[in-house]
Amino acid sequence: KAGVTQTPRYLIKTRGQQVTLSCSPISGHRSVSWYQQTPGQGLQFLFEYFSETQRNKGNFPGRFSGRQFSNSRSEMNVSTLELGDSALYLCASSWGTASKETQYFGPGTRLLVL
Amino acid sequence: AQRVTQPEKLLSVFKGAPVELKCNYSYSGSPELFWYVQYSRQRLQLLLRHISRESIKGFTADLNKGETSFHLKKPFAQEEDSAMYYCALSVGTGNQFYFGTGTSLTVIP
């Protein structure tokens, strides 16, 4: 079974631009969560989508948004990029039918904001 | 507010020595705790969860609600245990996880 895939793997943007990251979950998984990983803050929860609906949301500003499609693929968008948005963005998928499920992580998208 | 603390950023032990990676949490409800591991050039993956009460790769972790801790232990460290270890707390419904900042374990041959 193929694992979680994320595209692109690397991105360089400049301040003020916007960016869209994509995540394809493991086949059959309907829950997709997004995390931001930085050296100083570690892994921080952004949001979780299940059946095309946002089910949970972390403490990030509204510039961070996401969506999920009917095939469970998810996208995350960051508008008006700031230098501090430079990070590794991880997505994780799970079946979604229960709470607190094992999360299967993708390789991440490394975003650099200049 | 929910919080997970891993006080040690770096931990080095000799092969064959016992190892303990510390994790403390703060949460007013009933916690569910996990340990995730990331080996070099691999993805983050689940090591164990407290509700299963399993021993994975010789590691165990006991939830101590009185001390709000979920320390990871192994009696005899192996070189292949060298990795980054993250403690995580799940709250509410769905899959919302709070991760600690991680401990990098190095097992010295």
Side-chain angles (χ1 to χ4, degrees), chain B residues 6 12 20 36 40 50-51 63 66-67 72 74-75 84 99 101 103 108:
Chain B
Q6 293 180 250
S12 295
E20 181 180 52
Y36 278 80
S40 179
H50 93 269
I51 202 166
L63 177 61
E67 295 183 359
L72 184 68
K74 185 170 182 177
M84 192 75 177
F99 282 80
T101 49
T103 297
I108 304 164

PDB file of all heavy atoms in Angstrom, chain B residues 6 12 20 36 40 50-51 63 66-67 72 74-75 84 99 101 103 108:
ATOM      1  N   GLN B   6       9.136  17.606  26.820  1.00  0.00           N
ATOM      2  CA  GLN B   6      10.229  16.639  26.815  1.00  0.00           C
ATOM      3  C   GLN B   6      11.466  17.423  27.225  1.00  0.00           C
ATOM      4  O   GLN B   6      11.998  18.208  26.448  1.00  0.00           O
ATOM      5  CB  GLN B   6      10.393  16.028  25.427  1.00  0.00           C
ATOM      6  CG  GLN B   6       9.217  15.152  25.016  1.00  0.00           C
ATOM      7  CD  GLN B   6       9.420  14.564  23.636  1.00  0.00           C
ATOM      8  OE1 GLN B   6       8.744  14.944  22.681  1.00  0.00           O
ATOM      9  NE2 GLN B   6      10.332  13.615  23.524  1.00  0.00           N
ATOM     10  N   SER B  12      22.405  10.742  25.332  1.00  0.00           N
ATOM     11  CA  SER B  12      23.358   9.739  24.851  1.00  0.00           C
ATOM     12  C   SER B  12      23.522   8.651  25.905  1.00  0.00           C
ATOM     13  O   SER B  12      23.667   8.961  27.086  1.00  0.00           O
ATOM     14  CB  SER B  12      24.725  10.381  24.583  1.00  0.00           C
ATOM     15  OG  SER B  12      24.645  11.313  23.535  1.00  0.00           O
ATOM     16  N   GLU B  20      15.936   5.990  29.379  1.00  0.00           N
ATOM     17  CA  GLU B  20      14.625   6.539  29.742  1.00  0.00           C
ATOM     18  C   GLU B  20      14.485   7.909  29.115  1.00  0.00           C
ATOM     19  O   GLU B  20      15.314   8.798  29.349  1.00  0.00           O
ATOM     20  CB  GLU B  20      14.468   6.652  31.261  1.00  0.00           C
ATOM     21  CG  GLU B  20      13.096   7.204  31.672  1.00  0.00           C
ATOM     22  CD  GLU B  20      12.926   7.320  33.178  1.00  0.00           C
ATOM     23  OE1 GLU B  20      13.796   7.926  33.826  1.00  0.00           O
ATOM     24  OE2 GLU B  20      11.916   6.808  33.696  1.00  0.00           O
ATOM     25  N   TYR B  36       6.084   8.669  19.212  1.00  0.00           N
ATOM     26  CA  TYR B  36       6.426   8.549  17.806  1.00  0.00           C
ATOM     27  C   TYR B  36       7.947   8.609  17.680  1.00  0.00           C
ATOM     28  O   TYR B  36       8.621   9.242  18.486  1.00  0.00           O
ATOM     29  CB  TYR B  36       5.793   9.682  16.985  1.00  0.00           C
ATOM     30  CG  TYR B  36       4.349   9.427  16.625  1.00  0.00           C
ATOM     31  CD1 TYR B  36       3.333   9.663  17.548  1.00  0.00           C
ATOM     32  CD2 TYR B  36       4.008   8.937  15.372  1.00  0.00           C
ATOM     33  CE1 TYR B  36       2.002   9.412  17.212  1.00  0.00           C
ATOM     34  CE2 TYR B  36       2.685   8.681  15.035  1.00  0.00           C
ATOM     35  CZ  TYR B  36       1.692   8.920  15.963  1.00  0.00           C
ATOM     36  OH  TYR B  36       0.382   8.668  15.636  1.00  0.00           O
ATOM     37  N   SER B  40      16.759   8.051  11.123  1.00  0.00           N
ATOM     38  CA  SER B  40      17.440   8.862  10.121  1.00  0.00           C
ATOM     39  C   SER B  40      16.895   8.592   8.723  1.00  0.00           C
ATOM     40  O   SER B  40      16.764   7.434   8.318  1.00  0.00           O
ATOM     41  CB  SER B  40      18.942   8.559  10.169  1.00  0.00           C
ATOM     42  OG  SER B  40      19.628   9.306   9.196  1.00  0.00           O
ATOM     43  N   HIS B  50      -0.229   4.348  24.807  1.00  0.00           N
ATOM     44  CA  HIS B  50      -0.384   3.825  26.164  1.00  0.00           C
ATOM     45  C   HIS B  50      -1.578   2.901  26.273  1.00  0.00           C
ATOM     46  O   HIS B  50      -1.564   1.956  27.054  1.00  0.00           O
ATOM     47  CB  HIS B  50      -0.485   4.978  27.174  1.00  0.00           C
ATOM     48  CG  HIS B  50      -1.888   5.413  27.479  1.00  0.00           C
ATOM     49  ND1 HIS B  50      -2.539   6.399  26.794  1.00  0.00           N
ATOM     50  CD2 HIS B  50      -2.760   4.965  28.420  1.00  0.00           C
ATOM     51  CE1 HIS B  50      -3.752   6.560  27.288  1.00  0.00           C
ATOM     52  NE2 HIS B  50      -3.926   5.710  28.278  1.00  0.00           N
ATOM     53  N   ILE B  51      -2.578   3.127  25.460  1.00  0.00           N
ATOM     54  CA  ILE B  51      -3.800   2.347  25.605  1.00  0.00           C
ATOM     55  C   ILE B  51      -3.578   0.892  25.204  1.00  0.00           C
ATOM     56  O   ILE B  51      -4.301  -0.004  25.632  1.00  0.00           O
ATOM     57  CB  ILE B  51      -4.923   3.008  24.786  1.00  0.00           C
ATOM     58  CG1 ILE B  51      -6.283   2.587  25.314  1.00  0.00           C
ATOM     59  CG2 ILE B  51      -4.778   2.724  23.301  1.00  0.00           C
ATOM     60  CD1 ILE B  51      -7.413   3.441  24.787  1.00  0.00           C
ATOM     61  N   LEU B  63       1.732   5.171  31.737  1.00  0.00           N
ATOM     62  CA  LEU B  63       1.078   6.443  32.030  1.00  0.00           C
ATOM     63  C   LEU B  63       0.939   6.587  33.536  1.00  0.00           C
ATOM     64  O   LEU B  63       0.343   5.733  34.201  1.00  0.00           O
ATOM     65  CB  LEU B  63      -0.295   6.487  31.362  1.00  0.00           C
ATOM     66  CG  LEU B  63      -1.135   7.735  31.624  1.00  0.00           C
ATOM     67  CD1 LEU B  63      -0.416   8.975  31.114  1.00  0.00           C
ATOM     68  CD2 LEU B  63      -2.501   7.592  30.981  1.00  0.00           C
ATOM     69  N   GLY B  66      -0.772  10.533  38.235  1.00  0.00           N
ATOM     70  CA  GLY B  66      -0.422  11.348  39.398  1.00  0.00           C
ATOM     71  C   GLY B  66       0.725  12.301  39.108  1.00  0.00           C
ATOM     72  O   GLY B  66       0.716  13.464  39.521  1.00  0.00           O
ATOM     73  N   GLU B  67       1.703  11.817  38.369  1.00  0.00           N
ATOM     74  CA  GLU B  67       2.853  12.642  38.026  1.00  0.00           C
ATOM     75  C   GLU B  67       2.712  13.257  36.632  1.00  0.00           C
ATOM     76  O   GLU B  67       3.636  13.925  36.162  1.00  0.00           O
ATOM     77  CB  GLU B  67       4.135  11.802  38.094  1.00  0.00           C
ATOM     78  CG  GLU B  67       4.459  11.302  39.488  1.00  0.00           C
ATOM     79  CD  GLU B  67       5.777  10.530  39.544  1.00  0.00           C
ATOM     80  OE1 GLU B  67       6.423  10.368  38.495  1.00  0.00           O
ATOM     81  OE2 GLU B  67       6.143  10.093  40.653  1.00  0.00           O
ATOM     82  N   LEU B  72       9.338   6.940  28.425  1.00  0.00           N
ATOM     83  CA  LEU B  72       9.649   5.802  27.549  1.00  0.00           C
ATOM     84  C   LEU B  72      10.908   5.123  28.070  1.00  0.00           C
ATOM     85  O   LEU B  72      11.919   5.796  28.318  1.00  0.00           O
ATOM     86  CB  LEU B  72       9.866   6.292  26.118  1.00  0.00           C
ATOM     87  CG  LEU B  72      10.110   5.234  25.051  1.00  0.00           C
ATOM     88  CD1 LEU B  72       8.847   4.400  24.815  1.00  0.00           C
ATOM     89  CD2 LEU B  72      10.546   5.900  23.741  1.00  0.00           C
ATOM     90  N   LYS B  74      13.641   1.552  28.060  1.00  0.00           N
ATOM     91  CA  LYS B  74      14.140   0.314  27.459  1.00  0.00           C
ATOM     92  C   LYS B  74      15.293  -0.158  28.314  1.00  0.00           C
ATOM     93  O   LYS B  74      16.185   0.626  28.643  1.00  0.00           O
ATOM     94  CB  LYS B  74      14.591   0.533  26.014  1.00  0.00           C
ATOM     95  CG  LYS B  74      15.008  -0.756  25.309  1.00  0.00           C
ATOM     96  CD  LYS B  74      15.221  -0.539  23.829  1.00  0.00           C
ATOM     97  CE  LYS B  74      15.578  -1.858  23.158  1.00  0.00           C
ATOM     98  NZ  LYS B  74      15.725  -1.729  21.685  1.00  0.00           N
ATOM     99  N   PRO B  75      15.300  -1.425  28.717  1.00  0.00           N
ATOM    100  CA  PRO B  75      16.335  -1.876  29.653  1.00  0.00           C
ATOM    101  C   PRO B  75      17.735  -1.946  29.051  1.00  0.00           C
ATOM    102  O   PRO B  75      18.711  -1.702  29.745  1.00  0.00           O
ATOM    103  CB  PRO B  75      15.837  -3.254  30.094  1.00  0.00           C
ATOM    104  CG  PRO B  75      14.878  -3.685  29.051  1.00  0.00           C
ATOM    105  CD  PRO B  75      14.298  -2.447  28.450  1.00  0.00           C
ATOM    106  N   MET B  84      15.119  10.178  16.699  1.00  0.00           N
ATOM    107  CA  MET B  84      14.431  11.285  17.350  1.00  0.00           C
ATOM    108  C   MET B  84      13.114  10.742  17.880  1.00  0.00           C
ATOM    109  O   MET B  84      12.367  10.094  17.132  1.00  0.00           O
ATOM    110  CB  MET B  84      14.174  12.392  16.318  1.00  0.00           C
ATOM    111  CG  MET B  84      13.734  13.697  16.906  1.00  0.00           C
ATOM    112  SD  MET B  84      15.105  14.548  17.679  1.00  0.00           S
ATOM    113  CE  MET B  84      14.305  16.049  18.166  1.00  0.00           C
ATOM    114  N   PHE B  99       2.383  17.615  20.222  1.00  0.00           N
ATOM    115  CA  PHE B  99       3.668  16.943  20.287  1.00  0.00           C
ATOM    116  C   PHE B  99       4.637  17.700  21.182  1.00  0.00           C
ATOM    117  O   PHE B  99       4.615  18.937  21.254  1.00  0.00           O
ATOM    118  CB  PHE B  99       4.287  16.839  18.890  1.00  0.00           C
ATOM    119  CG  PHE B  99       3.714  15.754  18.030  1.00  0.00           C
ATOM    120  CD1 PHE B  99       2.514  15.942  17.362  1.00  0.00           C
ATOM    121  CD2 PHE B  99       4.368  14.546  17.896  1.00  0.00           C
ATOM    122  CE1 PHE B  99       1.980  14.934  16.566  1.00  0.00           C
ATOM    123  CE2 PHE B  99       3.839  13.528  17.099  1.00  0.00           C
ATOM    124  CZ  PHE B  99       2.646  13.731  16.441  1.00  0.00           C
ATOM    125  N   THR B 101       8.721  18.619  21.933  1.00  0.00           N
ATOM    126  CA  THR B 101       9.746  19.110  21.004  1.00  0.00           C
ATOM    127  C   THR B 101      10.756  18.037  20.616  1.00  0.00           C
ATOM    128  O   THR B 101      11.621  18.272  19.787  1.00  0.00           O
ATOM    129  CB  THR B 101      10.482  20.322  21.580  1.00  0.00           C
ATOM    130  OG1 THR B 101      10.886  20.014  22.916  1.00  0.00           O
ATOM    131  CG2 THR B 101       9.577  21.544  21.601  1.00  0.00           C
ATOM    132  N   THR B 103      13.216  14.352  21.655  1.00  0.00           N
ATOM    133  CA  THR B 103      14.515  14.030  22.254  1.00  0.00           C
ATOM    134  C   THR B 103      15.313  13.224  21.250  1.00  0.00           C
ATOM    135  O   THR B 103      14.820  12.212  20.730  1.00  0.00           O
ATOM    136  CB  THR B 103      14.351  13.201  23.545  1.00  0.00           C
ATOM    137  OG1 THR B 103      13.650  13.967  24.519  1.00  0.00           O
ATOM    138  CG2 THR B 103      15.709  12.794  24.099  1.00  0.00           C
ATOM    139  N   ILE B 108      25.671   4.940  21.897  1.00  0.00           N
ATOM    140  CA  ILE B 108      27.103   4.865  21.602  1.00  0.00           C
ATOM    141  C   ILE B 108      27.564   3.405  21.623  1.00  0.00           C
ATOM    142  O   ILE B 108      27.308   2.706  22.604  1.00  0.00           O
ATOM    143  CB  ILE B 108      27.895   5.674  22.640  1.00  0.00           C
ATOM    144  CG1 ILE B 108      27.379   7.118  22.679  1.00  0.00           C
ATOM    145  CG2 ILE B 108      29.387   5.639  22.338  1.00  0.00           C
ATOM    146  CD1 ILE B 108      27.807   7.882  23.908  1.00  0.00           C
TER     147      ILE B 108
END
